[in-house]
Amino acid sequence: MKKGRFYLVISVIVVSISLAIFWASNLALSTDYTEQYRPQFHFSPEENWMNDPNGMVYYEGEYHLFYQHNPHDNVWGPMYWGHAISKDMIEWEHRPIALEPDEIGTIFSGSAVVDWNNSTGFFDEKGEGLVAIFTHAGDGQSQSLAYSKDKGRTWEKYEGNPVIPSDPTIPDFRDPKVFWHDDTEKWVMAITAGKKVLFYGSHNLIEWDFLSEFGKGMGAQAGVWECPDLFELAIDGDPDHTKWVLQVDIGDGAIAGGSGAQYFIGEFDGTTFVSDHDPEQINWLDYGADFYAAQSFSDMPTEDGRRVMIAWMNNWLYANQVPTEVWRGAMSFPREMQLMTDSMGEIKVAQKPIEELNSLRGEQLFYLENEKVDQSFAKELLADIKADTFELFIEIDRNSLSDVGFKIRQSDNLEDETQIGFSSETNELFVERRQLDEIYFSPYFNGRHKVEIANSNTLTLQILVDQSSVEVFAQDGQYVITDLIFPNEDSVNMEFFLEGEEVFIHNLTIHSLQSIW
Ligand code: FRU
């Protein structure tokens, strides 16, 4: 064979093999993440239904995110644990399903820990491994274990399941969150039962003793409590002054309607949680409609020390109807949780997007510093900016404030838009959203979600906008509003609105955010 011919044949073979591999790998992928509404920097499943984050744990350089998943349909159904792994909590690699229903029941929410000292006896070879503690939903709700000896790649259920049997007097008994309590040297489980949280203790994750209960008549009580989490946080960053935070979600009657998350600050001595608040005080973690079933990572690296939470960005009022088809459900952007003393001297939970967000920043779309902006300037300010996924930061003088804010994901004909603003008359931060007539899916979706902001000289907002969500962090994360939105693809205009004479802007910066897929 001539040399030229030989090379031609070889090239054709190489190209054909490459094409075949490319074709096969694309066949395996059910999505390219470009569908309408597909979140670009928030986690969503490749396909079908997802609700709560589960089993969040860090181990050997990897963050594990499991989630409530129906692999057969895009509505809630028989629950499995889906699974994804990340090195930075930003980019996720989808993994095969971790836990499937069995003869005891389907797999509801729960948590995971590293059993560092083989307290379970599951890890005789390596001496440590991952243990998941979850609710089996079948004939009643009972609590069970599964373990992984290969860094979460495969899971085996414990043969003695369940480890806490169901109780016919407690129909809603679920969502165990387990952590190691250093002072009393035991595992502690927080689990919801009706409208309470129960605490259990164990030395091996297998045998559990009831410790105490919390919640009778406390906080928001309109719906059943779900998905508790309990952790200790430093106050104002001082590790010598700490408080415990009990986060617990409520299935209905939350601040923006439907499901939502509340928290209590107090003391936990390894047995009992005592809240610092009056029983009638309600602390909402988020004032939007779409922040539910929040959970924090277990076993964060000690040199890191952060408490990072992720929630299901949805609401049970309409979760089964939101207008996505290939997949349904997304997670919030991971948040770092802190305790801070506010201007009234009260200790509050503050949340901010984890700093890894910076790695997603693309082009700087807009920048302005120390400028007085009047009505006519305001109109022009963002007229040339087009953006669909972006981060907006603004610090603005509050003394001179009138009603002010942004219209985002706006269409040319102005029919499609979401407003994020501050009303000085009522001191309220708000997000106002509405669904377009052509995608109408729920009577509960349209509306204004708001929170009153305590007095201060300036107002600062950090806003994350993705293809189908907005997250607004105000005053260093003291107030957060998380809402789903469903704008048209070509609704990419932005407007700065001002109802008043002028405002002083200290800083306004907009960056596009890149896709994680
Ligand atoms: C919260 C929840 C949990 C339950 C799971 C079932 O959204 O209702 O209480 O374990 O979802 O999917």
Side-chain angles (χ1 to χ4, degrees):
M1 202 189 289
K2 278 207 185 108
K3 220 174 175 188
R5 199 120 194 243
F6 173 75
Y7 282 125
L8 182 70
V9 171
I10 292 292
S11 318
V12 167
I13 292 173
V14 168
V15 168
S16 314
I17 291 176
S18 315
L19 280 175
I21 291 173
F22 181 71
W23 182 69
S25 62
N26 268 322
L27 258 193
L29 267 187
S30 49
T31 174
D32 58 3
Y33 297 94
T34 58
E35 304 96 337
Q36 188 177 15
Y37 310 129
R38 176 66 94 165
Q40 293 302 304
F41 62 94
H42 290 84
F43 179 81
S44 61
E46 281 181 288
E47 56 182 13
N48 287 320
W49 170 269
M50 176 181 83
N51 56 296
D52 315 353
N54 294 152
M56 292 168 55
V57 64
Y58 176 83
Y59 184 51
E60 297 202 348
E62 296 174 331
Y63 295 90
H64 293 266
L65 172 64
F66 301 87
Y67 53 89
Q68 288 287 279
H69 184 42
N70 178 3
H72 309 297
D73 205 346
N74 64 2
V75 290
W76 191 84
M79 284 292 106
Y80 294 58
W81 272 27
H83 185 201
I85 294 180
S86 171
K87 290 205 176 336
D88 58 5
M89 298 181 272
I90 301 281
E91 288 186 19
W92 295 93
E93 181 200 328
H94 290 287
R95 303 290 314 172
I97 282 172
L99 296 173
E100 299 192 356
D102 54 35
E103 61 291 349
I104 308 180
T106 58
I107 316 296
F108 271 22
S109 286
S111 51
V113 293
V114 185
D115 182 12
W116 290 110
N117 298 314
N118 193 23
S119 68
T120 50
F122 296 157
F123 308 105
D124 284 341
E125 269 163 46
K126 194 176 178 192
E128 62 178 57
L130 292 174
V131 180
I133 308 98
F134 60 89
T135 298
H136 252 130
D139 194 9
Q141 300 188 337
S142 55
Q143 318 313 321
S144 291
L145 304 181
Y147 54 95
S148 169
K149 295 180 176 177
D150 54 3
K151 295 176 54 176
R153 269 50 183 184
T154 58
W155 290 81
E156 226 162 297
K157 299 210 187 87
Y158 171 53
E159 59 192 15
N161 280 340
V163 292
I164 302 182
S166 64
D167 178 341
T169 65
I170 320 176
D172 297 299
F173 178 45
R174 57 178 179 264
D175 310 338
K177 174 74 163 109
V178 172
F179 65 96
W180 178 257
H181 188 257
D182 255 339
D183 292 354
T184 56
E185 298 194 335
K186 65 173 184 299
W187 298 104
V188 170
M189 175 194 291
I191 181 168
T192 49
K195 295 179 184 182
K196 287 180 199 157
V197 176
L198 310 186
F199 298 103
Y200 288 80
S202 172
H203 291 285
N204 58 9
L205 295 167
I206 295 168
E207 295 142 311
W208 292 92
D209 298 317
F210 173 77
L211 299 174
S212 67
E213 65 167 58
F214 169 81
K216 192 162 191 282
M218 297 295 293
Q221 291 271 337
V224 122
W225 285 13
E226 300 179 316
C227 303
D229 199 349
L230 177 66
F231 44 85
E232 194 177 13
L233 286 181
I235 303 169
D236 300 319
D238 174 359
D240 295 331
H241 292 98
T242 62
K243 284 272 179 194
W244 286 79
V245 177
L246 176 63
Q247 186 273 145
V248 60
D249 296 309
I250 176 165
D252 200 9
I255 181 74
S259 47
Q262 64 175 327
Y263 68 88
F264 302 88
I265 295 175
E267 304 293 345
F268 182 72
D269 62 3
T271 304
T272 315
F273 177 81
V274 181
S275 162
D276 290 350
H277 314 297
D278 292 336
E280 60 277 6
Q281 181 174 335
I282 302 175
N283 308 299
W284 298 109
L285 207 48
D286 196 294
Y287 291 85
D290 300 301
F291 189 80
Y292 197 61
Q295 186 175 111
S296 66
F297 279 104
S298 180
D299 297 277
M300 285 293 276
T302 21
E303 66 278 10
D304 182 316
R306 286 181 295 177
R307 178 62 60 172
V308 176
M309 274 200 146
I310 293 179
W312 176 43
M313 201 156 47
N314 221 322
N315 191 309
W316 277 116
L317 283 179
Y318 46 69
N320 280 286
Q321 285 95 43
V322 295
T324 63
E325 270 159 33
V326 175
W327 84 101
R328 203 178 255 135
M331 295 303 179
S332 72
F333 195 78
R335 296 177 183 181
E336 183 180 348
M337 313 298 287
Q338 294 171 330
L339 283 178
M340 65 187 283
T341 313
D342 71 6
S343 53
M344 310 294 284
E346 234 188 282
I347 300 170
K348 282 181 135 188
V349 167
Q351 308 159 69
K352 59 178 190 200
I354 55 169
E355 66 193 20
E356 285 84 343
L357 173 70
N358 299 350
S359 69
L360 292 175
R361 280 197 192 134
E363 198 191 338
Q364 180 171 295
L365 300 172
F366 187 85
Y367 185 81
L368 180 112
E369 215 182 19
N370 296 330
E371 193 99 38
K372 251 191 201 144
V373 175
D374 62 15
Q375 284 258 1
S376 63
F377 189 21
K379 269 212 173 62
E380 293 161 28
L381 206 60
L382 303 176
D384 295 332
I385 312 287
K386 311 266 174 236
D388 51 4
T389 63
F390 59 94
E391 176 194 15
L392 184 155
F393 174 84
I394 187 166
E395 182 178 1
I396 193 167
D397 210 334
R398 201 161 149 184
N399 297 328
S400 60
L401 278 194
S402 41
D403 282 15
V404 64
F406 299 93
K407 296 177 181 172
I408 55 138
R409 298 303 309 255
Q410 192 184 51
S411 57
D412 289 337
N413 65 9
L414 310 182
E415 271 166 25
D416 191 9
E417 69 179 24
T418 298
Q419 292 192 21
I420 301 163
F422 179 77
S423 164
S424 56
E425 213 176 294
T426 50
N427 282 328
E428 272 169 3
L429 171 75
F430 66 87
V431 172
E432 186 162 337
R433 65 175 181 184
R434 60 171 186 262
Q435 64 210 309
L436 291 164
D437 291 345
E438 58 263 34
I439 57 154
Y440 183 87
F441 60 92
S442 166
Y444 302 110
F445 189 79
N446 293 358
R448 181 187 267 239
H449 304 138
K450 51 190 203 279
V451 51
E452 194 180 329
I453 307 274
N455 280 331
S456 61
N457 294 331
T458 53
L459 177 75
T460 60
L461 303 178
Q462 183 182 11
I463 302 172
L464 307 185
V465 178
D466 202 340
Q467 294 293 1
S468 48
S469 62
V470 296
E471 287 155 294
V472 183
F473 299 84
Q475 311 299 64
D476 292 321
Q478 281 187 65
Y479 311 90
V480 190
I481 299 183
T482 303
D483 272 344
L484 290 179
I485 55 171
F486 295 99
N488 273 331
E489 258 155 2
D490 52 5
S491 300
V492 291
N493 299 338
M494 233 189 267
E495 191 186 317
F496 180 69
F497 69 85
L498 171 64
E499 284 159 23
E501 274 173 21
E502 59 177 32
V503 287
F504 187 78
I505 296 181
H506 292 271
N507 185 309
L508 172 56
T509 313
I510 305 174
H511 278 102
S512 69
L513 290 177
Q514 288 159 351
S515 178
I516 60 173
W517 302 115

